[in-house]
């Protein structure tokens, strides 16, 4: 089988029957995981664009953004633990950037936990820059968020 980084990803809009798989990955990845209802809202909210990434018919990542006027605000990006460090997160983020641009966004913005080195490196590698800090942004852990922005 070819290495993961040379295998095409299939990226699809989120559908209700994807949610159970997403919740497993979500609980592995975050101290404050999204609920079923929160994923459901990403399908129902007209400003939300949310996608799953599949590799060989298995969901291995997901992510999305809200389009607020001409700014895309990333709501989430997650790669299944078993598939990290194979370039999937970068491919999914590049897809979100392309989609946002096609939909008319001129910038993309996100918040990331101050301690989340993997994600901060990923965003820096894609050209995002620090644009501020929000103290105590994550209510469950009290951790601060770094705000990052990129013009697209
Ligand atoms: C952040 C996350 C999406 C990255 O996904 P990934 O598929 O492993 O990332 P990639 O393999 O595409 O890595 C791209 C770049 O990100 C950085 N990176 C990724 N994981 C890293 C790690 N553990 N340590 C340091 N840098 C890391 C590197 O710069 C990497 O480039 P390189 O491989 O050329 O060094 C993944 O770690 C994840 O799902 N984490 C849990 C959920 C989360 O925190 N999401 C972000 C919320 S803001």
């Amino acid at each position: 089988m070819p290495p993961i980084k040379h295998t095409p990803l299939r990226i699809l809009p989120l559908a209700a029957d994807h949610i159970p798989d997403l919740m497993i990955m979500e609980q592995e990845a975050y101290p404050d995981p999204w609920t079923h209802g929160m994923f459901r809202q990403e399908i129902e909210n007209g400003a939300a664009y949310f996608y799953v990434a599949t590799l060989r018919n298995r969901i291995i990542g997901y992510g999305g953004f809200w389009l607020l006027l001409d700014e895309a605000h990333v709501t989430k990006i997650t790669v299944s633990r078993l598939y990290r460090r194979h370039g999937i997160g970068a491919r999914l983020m590049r897809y979100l950037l392309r989609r946002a641009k096609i939909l008319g966004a001129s910038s993309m913005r996100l918040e990331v936990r101050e301690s989340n080195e993997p994600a901060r490196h990923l965003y820096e590698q894609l050209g995002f820059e620090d644009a501020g800090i929000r103290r105590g942004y994550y209510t469950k852990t009290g951790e601060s968020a770094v705000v990052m922005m990129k013009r697209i």
Side-chain angles (χ1 to χ4, degrees), residues 1 6 12 52 54-55 76 81 93 112 118 126 137 150:
M1 233 183 272
H6 298 135
L12 311 165
V52 297
T54 67
L55 184 85
K76 180 88 46 192
R81 241 179 236 285
M93 270 306 289
V112 54
L126 293 171
Y137 179 79
K150 175 182 165 69

Side-chain angles (χ1 to χ4, degrees), residues 6 12 24 28 42 45 75 88 91 93 119 127 138 151:
H6 298 135
L12 311 165
I24 294 169
E28 279 177 4
E42 298 305 295
N45 176 350
T75 46
I88 307 279
R91 280 202 268 172
M93 270 306 289
Y138 298 97
R151 296 211 71 75

Side-chain angles (χ1 to χ4, degrees), residues 71-140:
E71 185 173 89
H73 191 129
V74 176
T75 46
K76 180 88 46 192
I77 175 155
T78 314
V79 173
S80 165
R81 241 179 236 285
L82 288 175
Y83 291 87
R84 290 185 193 160
R85 293 316 299 257
H86 291 288
I88 307 279
R91 280 202 268 172
L92 191 50
M93 270 306 289
R94 280 195 216 99
Y95 180 83
L96 297 184
L97 284 160
R98 280 200 305 276
R99 289 297 308 154
K101 186 167 185 175
I102 289 167
L103 290 162
S106 60
S107 63
M108 186 172 265
R109 172 191 184 88
L110 54 85
E111 277 101 20
V112 54
R113 271 170 214 283
E114 213 172 4
S115 64
N116 193 343
E117 294 290 333
R120 288 179 69 177
H121 281 136
L122 165 67
Y123 303 140
E124 277 162 18
Q125 202 182 64
L126 293 171
F128 283 81
E129 292 177 350
D130 288 5
I133 188 137
R134 295 197 170 169
R135 300 268 165 226
Y137 179 79
Y138 298 97
T139 45
K140 192 158 177 190

Side-chain angles (χ1 to χ4, degrees), residues 40-52:
R40 183 96 222 172
Q41 275 172 26
E42 298 305 295
I43 300 174
E44 288 162 7
N45 176 350
Y49 297 83
F50 205 95
Y51 304 92
V52 297

